[in-house]
């Protein structure tokens, strides 16, 4: 490592350590050693400290020991004459700095400093990590950038943020340059900052950057199934990050000692530093085969340079529209006062309908607007809209129509300044004044659909033709055909059973994070992330026979009750790298399927009730098993097979095969109001179908109780059928 950087990093590390220690002794004086400290919503305590020291810090007193050992990693403070021949010293100083930073961040609330003031989001709860994790695994979000400091002006800040968003890179922001911050700059430009827009402001101090590294550590725990422990474990977690988490640091503005020290910490994770100033570069050596520090990069070139250095794989599609586009713009709202035109919502009829047609009846690339265009109506007009997509493909099958149509939502959310909510005939679509002023027209909605469909589904989409009806009469004329198609598809999907097919589909998308995990998706059991059902698997295989979804022949039934097939067991032995040899599709007790980390819900046995509970990942409270979701997830995830615990997609609860080997839906004794809400009438209908219409009202939720004893009393009072069914294990 360059001598200047090493010296500055070590000097910075001493400063950070001094500050953390001072803060700690004040905090202990005021609150005592037993005072609890934590980041909200995580099962990994202070995750960077847990990674680097193996210690789970939950009380102030425990920080003393941790800081003391981290101080021991600091090399001797170099004098100008001292020559540092290798990276080691500075890297150790960097690791110690991260420990100090995380201690400081954790102690802030005790000193009356909120981690979430103004637009700052503070540390990330596990629930968000899991939700975003699926984007990391399926490539929608190829990596993250930790932006440290501020840009020369607000406009350049927005430019950089947009350039990163356009590449779908998650942007963490922290620290400041001479008191200004990138997040404040974006805020002044009225840029939406939240998890949906991939722009996440952590905090104004350099210490807040540690939350980005905490995110990385927890990715290794939640998706990689790695465990904290000693030196060996800590090294494995760092290597996991180097290999699988494509992240980098953008150093913006003057780099002071503290920032050098923090950068050295990030280099431990294999995250290179790209700077806009003239700092000494560090070329490839030792642990990395790429540069550690690249200096003097113009802001305009930063994203592409970073992507190149870190080897991030970016999938972007060129679409000839006058605004930026990409998944990072999906979450952006168009506010009422920014509105150029609006369709649907509760005001007008707005629906989308995709259908397949014979090849020779379509003119590929034809996009038409039938009715007024954006320029023909006054600002903020409300019009009806029918988005009619006709497509043809040699390998197209009618059952893929619903899958392609479901993608319209994300496609039309991607252009900057277009907001799309809902699906089918519940669509609400807005186009902003900014987009209109940049030249965006209704016609461009068709351009987006044309390009995205052809790009994402090349094997099944050969021709696409889009008609955008804004003429009320035409919209009403097409509507009955759309409604008939929706109904027909639902009936067809509902009629699909596990017995009715010979082929199931595997999904190994999550293996990039959980190397032994594989989902087996059947018509009656969707993937645990909730994002892939059997038809998705089938279509994905048609599109790419060498991708993450493969057909799995059942061959013969090994156990019809458990849902075991010879073909499946043979397949998973191989696909799990020999880690597992049997999977049951219908049991959470005997050979349950493994769970990676991105499950929508966890189902878990509740001893003493004869039943199970289902908790969704957004639920933050306590559950009757005595653990919040985050702790449950720690037991369930990481690609393990844990009898009594499975990760599931929410809709699996409605399936006739929902833990059917263990007693089925009648076992459900507790769930969250969110799950009840989402399933609503469909859950009521399932209760009726199994001959227990009153079951719906007997299933408790957090508004009834969150502890086991009161739950058992409740179950007895309402005579829940699970009590009669006997213990599950
Ligand atoms: Fe991951 Fe399973 Fe979802 Fe595939 S179906 S993305 S393996 S959780
Ligand atoms: Zn997963």
């Amino acid at each position: 490592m360059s001598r200047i950087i090493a010296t500055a990093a070590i000097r910075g590390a001493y400063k950070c350590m001094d500050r953390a220690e001072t803060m700690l002794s004040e905090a202990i004086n005021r609150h005592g050693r037993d005072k609890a400290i934590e980041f909200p919503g995580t099962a990994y305590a202070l995750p960077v400290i847990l990674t680097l020291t193996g210690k789970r810090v939950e009380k102030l007193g425990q920080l003393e020991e941790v800081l003391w050992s981290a101080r021991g990693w600091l090399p001797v403070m170099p004098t100008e004459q001292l020559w540092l021949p290798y990276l080691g010293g500075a890297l150790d100083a960097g690791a110690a700095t991260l420990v100090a930073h995380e201690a400081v961040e954790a102690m802030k609330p005790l000193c009356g400093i909120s981690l979430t003031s103004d637009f700052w989001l503070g540390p990330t709860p596990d629930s968000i990590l899991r939700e975003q994790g699926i984007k990391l695994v399926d490539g929608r979000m190829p990596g993250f950038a930790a932006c440290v400091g501020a840009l020369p002006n607000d406009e350049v800040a927005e430019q950089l943020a947009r350039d990163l968003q356009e590449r779908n890179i998650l942007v963490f922001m922290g620290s400041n340059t001479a008191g200004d911050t990138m997040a404040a700059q974006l805020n002044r430009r009225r840029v939406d900052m939240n998890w949906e827009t991939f722009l996440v402001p952590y905090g104004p101090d350099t210490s807040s950057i540690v939350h980005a590294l905490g995110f990385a550590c927890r990715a290794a725990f939640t998706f990689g199934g790695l465990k904290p422990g000693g030196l060996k474990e800590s090294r494995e977690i760092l290597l996991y990050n180097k290999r699988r988490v494509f992240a980098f640091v953008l150093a913006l503005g003057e780099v002071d000692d503290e920032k050098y020290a923090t950068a050295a910490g990030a280099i431990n994770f294999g995250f290179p530093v790209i700077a806009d100033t003239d700092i000494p570069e560090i070329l490839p050596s030792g642990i990395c085969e790429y540069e550690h520090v690249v200096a003097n990069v113009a802001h305009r070139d930063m994203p592409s340079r970073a992507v190149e250095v870190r080897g991030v794989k970016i999938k972007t599609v060129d679409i000839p529209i006058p605004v930026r586009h990409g998944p990072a713009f999906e979450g952006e709202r168009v506010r009422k006062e920014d509105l150029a035109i609006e369709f649907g919502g509760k005001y007008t009829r707005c629906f989308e309908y995709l259908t397949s047609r014979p090849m020779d009846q379509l003119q590929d690339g034809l996009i038409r607007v039938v009715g007024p265009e954006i320029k023909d109506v006054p600002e903020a007009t409300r019009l009806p809209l029918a988005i009619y997509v006709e497509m043809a493909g040699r390998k197209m099958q009618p059952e893929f129509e619903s899958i392609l149509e479901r993608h319209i939502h994300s496609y039309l959310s991607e252009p900057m300044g277009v907001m799309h909510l809902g699906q089918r005939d519940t669509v609400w679509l807005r186009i902003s004044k900014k987009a209109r002023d940049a030249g965006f027209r209704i016609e461009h909605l068709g351009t987006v659909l044309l390009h995205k469909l052809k790009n994402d589904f090349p094997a099944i989409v050969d021709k696409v033709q889009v008609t955008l009806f804004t003429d009320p009469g035409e919209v009403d004329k097409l509507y009955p055909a759309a409604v008939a198609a929706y109904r027909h598809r639902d009936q067809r999907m509902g009629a699909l059973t596990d017995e009715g097919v010979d082929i199931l589909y595997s999904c190994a998308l999550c293996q990039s994070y959980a190397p032994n995990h594989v989902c087996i998706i059947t018509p009656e059991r969707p993937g645990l992330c909730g994002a892939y059902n059997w038809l998705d698997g089938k279509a994905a295989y048609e599109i790419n026979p060498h991708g993450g979804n493969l057909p799995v022949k059942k061959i013969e039934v090994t156990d019809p009750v458990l849902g075991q097939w010879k073909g499946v067991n043979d397949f998973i032995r191989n696909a799990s790298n020999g880690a597992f040899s049997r999977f049951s599709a219908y049991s959470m007790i005997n050979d349950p399927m493994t769970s990676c980390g991105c499950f929508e819900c966890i189902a878990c046995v509740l001893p003493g009730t004869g039943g199970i509970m289902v908790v969704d990942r957004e639920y933050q409270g306590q559950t009757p098993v005595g653990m919040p979701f985050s702790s449950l997830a720690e037991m369930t995830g990481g690609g393990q097979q844990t009898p009594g615990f499975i990760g599931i997609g929410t809709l699996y609860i409605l399936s006739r095969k929902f833990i059917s080997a263990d007693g089925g839906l009648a076992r459900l004794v507790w769930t969250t109001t969110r799950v009840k809400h989402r399933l609503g009438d469909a859950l009521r209908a399932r209760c009726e179908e199994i001959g227990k219409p009153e079951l719906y009202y007997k299933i408790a939720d957090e508004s009834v109780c969150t502890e086991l004893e009161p739950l058992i009393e409740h179950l007895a009072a309402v005579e829940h059928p699970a009590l009669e069914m006997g213990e599950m294990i």
Side-chain angles (χ1 to χ4, degrees):
M1 182 182 254
S2 150
R3 196 177 136 201
I4 309 170
I5 294 197
T7 311
I10 295 167
R11 216 165 37 216
Y14 272 92
K15 276 188 214 157
C16 294
M17 191 55 73
D18 289 348
R19 185 181 50 216
E21 285 170 351
T22 310
M23 211 167 154
L24 178 61
S25 64
E26 278 168 18
I28 288 179
N29 278 342
R30 186 125 48 103
H31 302 280
R33 287 189 165 74
D34 280 339
K35 179 77 181 173
I37 48 170
E38 58 165 14
F39 292 139
T42 178
Y44 303 99
L46 310 187
V48 173
I49 291 178
L50 182 61
T51 298
L52 294 174
T53 69
K55 299 253 165 23
R56 190 177 276 278
V57 172
E58 282 157 345
K59 287 178 181 166
L60 264 185
Q62 295 166 314
L63 265 187
E64 268 181 321
E65 190 195 333
V66 162
L67 284 182
W68 185 76
S69 55
R71 184 171 273 280
W73 307 339
L74 291 179
V76 183
M77 185 64 204
T79 63
E80 286 310 312
Q81 288 75 30
L82 187 76
W83 183 62
L84 287 161
Y86 69 107
L87 266 177
L91 287 183
D92 290 348
T97 303
L98 298 183
V99 170
H101 279 341
E102 197 169 52
V104 166
E105 287 290 305
M107 286 186 285
K108 275 183 178 174
L110 299 185
C111 310
I113 307 169
S114 167
L115 295 175
T116 53
S117 51
D118 302 330
F119 39 77
W120 301 109
L121 295 178
T124 307
D126 291 349
S127 55
I128 293 185
L129 174 89
R130 282 174 203 286
E131 204 184 316
Q132 301 301 323
I134 182 77
K135 296 188 191 156
L136 286 169
V137 305
D138 69 13
R140 266 177 292 166
M141 188 192 273
F144 73 75
C147 295
V148 184
L151 282 300
N153 61 56
D154 299 358
E155 208 179 326
V156 180
E158 179 171 0
Q159 175 82 26
L160 177 65
R162 299 305 192 192
D163 285 347
L164 290 164
Q165 277 181 306
E166 206 167 38
R167 290 172 171 80
N168 314 328
I169 291 170
L170 177 59
V171 182
F172 292 132
M173 290 167 275
S175 187
N176 63 80
T177 304
D180 203 5
T181 65
M182 180 172 169
Q185 294 177 318
L186 295 184
N187 189 49
R188 292 195 290 266
R189 298 281 296 181
R190 297 187 55 199
V191 174
D192 273 349
M193 288 180 287
N194 53 57
W195 279 93
E196 296 305 313
T197 58
F198 292 29
L199 298 175
V200 178
Y202 271 143
D205 300 326
T206 302
S207 54
S208 69
I209 293 295
V210 80
H211 299 308
L213 298 155
F215 183 89
C217 293
R218 285 182 295 150
F221 295 137
T222 33
F223 302 112
L226 297 182
K227 298 266 175 279
L231 252 185
K232 186 174 144 274
E233 285 82 0
S234 140
R235 197 182 133 74
E236 265 174 25
I237 297 165
L238 295 179
L239 280 175
Y240 178 94
N241 272 285
K242 191 195 149 210
R243 290 194 193 119
R244 295 177 191 269
V245 180
F246 294 97
F248 46 86
V249 178
L250 297 183
L252 308 169
E254 190 213 338
V255 180
D256 58 20
D257 290 354
E258 234 188 90
K259 290 182 189 168
Y260 274 120
T262 311
I267 292 173
N268 278 296
F269 285 75
F271 302 161
V273 180
I274 316 291
D276 59 357
T277 51
D278 187 16
I279 62 172
E281 300 207 323
I282 304 178
L283 298 173
S285 74
I287 58 159
C288 282
E289 48 289 333
Y290 43 80
E291 294 100 318
H292 298 303
V293 178
V294 183
N296 261 329
V297 181
H299 297 117
R300 193 174 350 100
D301 302 331
M302 282 189 127
S304 56
R305 192 79 183 93
V307 160
E308 183 190 320
V309 170
R310 189 62 183 93
V312 183
K313 291 181 203 69
I314 309 263
K315 289 190 286 187
T316 52
V317 193
D318 257 336
I319 305 178
I321 53 172
V323 296
R324 293 172 185 263
H325 55 90
F329 303 108
E330 255 184 57
E332 212 147 5
R333 315 277 302 191
V334 174
R335 298 181 189 93
K336 208 168 160 209
E337 58 276 20
D338 300 329
L339 190 60
I341 193 164
E342 178 173 35
F343 311 94
K346 45 185 186 295
Y347 309 108
T348 56
R349 172 165 285 165
C350 182
F351 65 95
E352 49 211 20
Y353 173 33
L354 180 145
T355 187
S356 55
R357 317 255 286 132
M359 271 300 190
D360 55 359
Q361 289 181 16
L362 291 187
Q363 183 184 334
D364 185 33
L366 179 68
I367 297 167
R368 289 177 303 159
V369 176
V370 179
E373 240 304 350
I374 203 164
K375 60 176 181 359
D376 306 328
V377 291
E379 195 158 280
T381 296
R382 288 176 179 140
L383 285 180
L385 175 68
I387 301 170
Y388 184 41
V389 183
E390 296 163 279
M391 45 90 40
R394 266 155 300 147
K395 291 171 83 180
M396 179 64 191
Q397 300 174 25
E399 55 185 6
F400 296 158
E401 285 171 0
S402 57
I403 293 174
L404 300 180
E405 189 184 279
R406 218 172 57 204
H407 278 79
I408 294 179
H409 164 65
S410 60
Y411 293 165
L412 292 187
S413 303
E414 288 188 8
M416 199 172 138
V418 179
M419 183 184 92
H420 179 288
L421 300 173
Q423 52 163 334
R424 290 188 169 179
D425 57 355
T426 62
V427 174
W428 183 14
L429 197 144
R430 283 178 161 179
I431 300 175
S432 76
K433 290 181 206 167
K434 257 194 190 167
R436 178 204 56 197
D437 295 346
F440 195 89
R441 281 166 294 149
I442 296 170
E443 179 198 329
H444 289 122
L445 299 173
T447 316
V448 173
L449 293 176
L450 174 77
H451 282 79
K452 292 292 278 187
L453 283 168
K454 286 189 141 187
N455 178 79
D456 289 3
F457 299 94
I460 51 182
V461 179
D462 292 323
K463 284 184 171 182
V464 180
Q465 182 178 311
V466 185
T467 315
L468 299 143
F469 294 101
T470 57
D471 176 89
E474 296 286 341
V475 171
D476 290 345
K477 212 159 88 194
L478 183 63
Y479 187 58
V483 173
Y486 304 150
R487 195 167 307 135
H488 178 69
R489 286 175 198 163
D490 287 347
Q491 282 163 355
R492 191 168 49 199
M493 190 60 210
L496 265 179
T497 61
D498 289 3
E499 291 78 13
V501 299
D502 293 327
I503 290 178
L504 308 175
Y505 286 90
S506 69
C507 186
L509 277 181
C510 285
Q511 285 203 343
S512 52
Y513 280 81
N516 297 334
H517 171 75
V518 53
C519 277
I520 295 293
I521 305 177
T522 77
E524 296 182 79
R525 182 169 177 173
L528 58 87
C529 56
Y532 295 88
N533 65 29
W534 184 83
L535 269 184
D536 293 310
K538 186 172 178 193
Y541 175 68
E542 293 288 338
I543 293 157
N544 178 8
H546 308 289
N549 301 93
L550 297 176
V552 183
K553 278 214 176 78
K554 290 165 147 181
I555 302 180
E556 67 188 48
V557 182
T558 315
D559 189 320
V561 177
L562 288 176
Q564 290 203 14
W565 300 272
K566 180 177 183 311
V568 170
N569 286 344
D570 290 349
F571 178 88
I572 53 143
R573 210 166 285 132
N574 201 359
S576 70
N577 306 306
F580 308 104
S581 52
R582 285 198 307 266
F583 267 10
S584 300
Y586 312 141
S587 175
M588 58 188 283
I589 312 287
N590 294 303
D591 308 320
M593 288 197 197
T594 55
S595 302
C596 43
C598 42
F599 27 72
E600 277 190 302
C601 296
I602 290 175
C604 134
V605 169
L606 276 179
T609 68
I612 66 158
M613 65 170 196
V614 172
V615 197
D616 71 272
R617 66 182 167 205
E618 276 167 60
Y619 179 72
Q620 303 254 340
Q622 197 48 260
T623 70
V625 84
M627 278 184 268
F629 181 88
S630 49
S631 314
L632 274 167
E634 215 184 340
M635 301 185 60
T636 314
Q640 320 163 53
Q641 212 170 26
T642 321
F645 297 81
I646 46 169
I648 59 168
T650 316
L651 295 184
Y652 176 46
I653 300 170
L654 297 176
S655 164
R656 272 166 294 223
K657 293 295 192 327
F658 174 62
I659 60 163
S660 54
D662 309 323
L665 184 63
R667 291 283 193 185
L668 183 60
V669 298
W670 192 93
T671 188
T672 61
T673 42
R674 195 176 291 107
V675 168
K676 269 194 162 174
H677 229 93
R678 168 139 183 233
L679 300 180
D681 289 342
L683 181 58
R684 251 175 243 132
R686 265 298 290 154
C687 292
E688 269 167 37
E689 202 183 341
I690 60 170
K692 300 183 188 331
E694 70 301 340
L695 174 64
Y696 182 87
Y697 303 96
K698 296 180 177 178
I699 302 168
D701 56 43
E702 75 271 20
S703 69
V704 176
C705 59
T706 56
E707 278 169 48
L708 192 58
E709 282 307 315
L711 175 63
I712 294 174
E713 283 165 27
H714 164 86
L715 298 175
V718 300
E719 298 178 2
H720 192 291
L723 286 175
E724 301 288 302
M725 295 169 80
E727 290 290 315
M728 291 174 71
I729 301 189

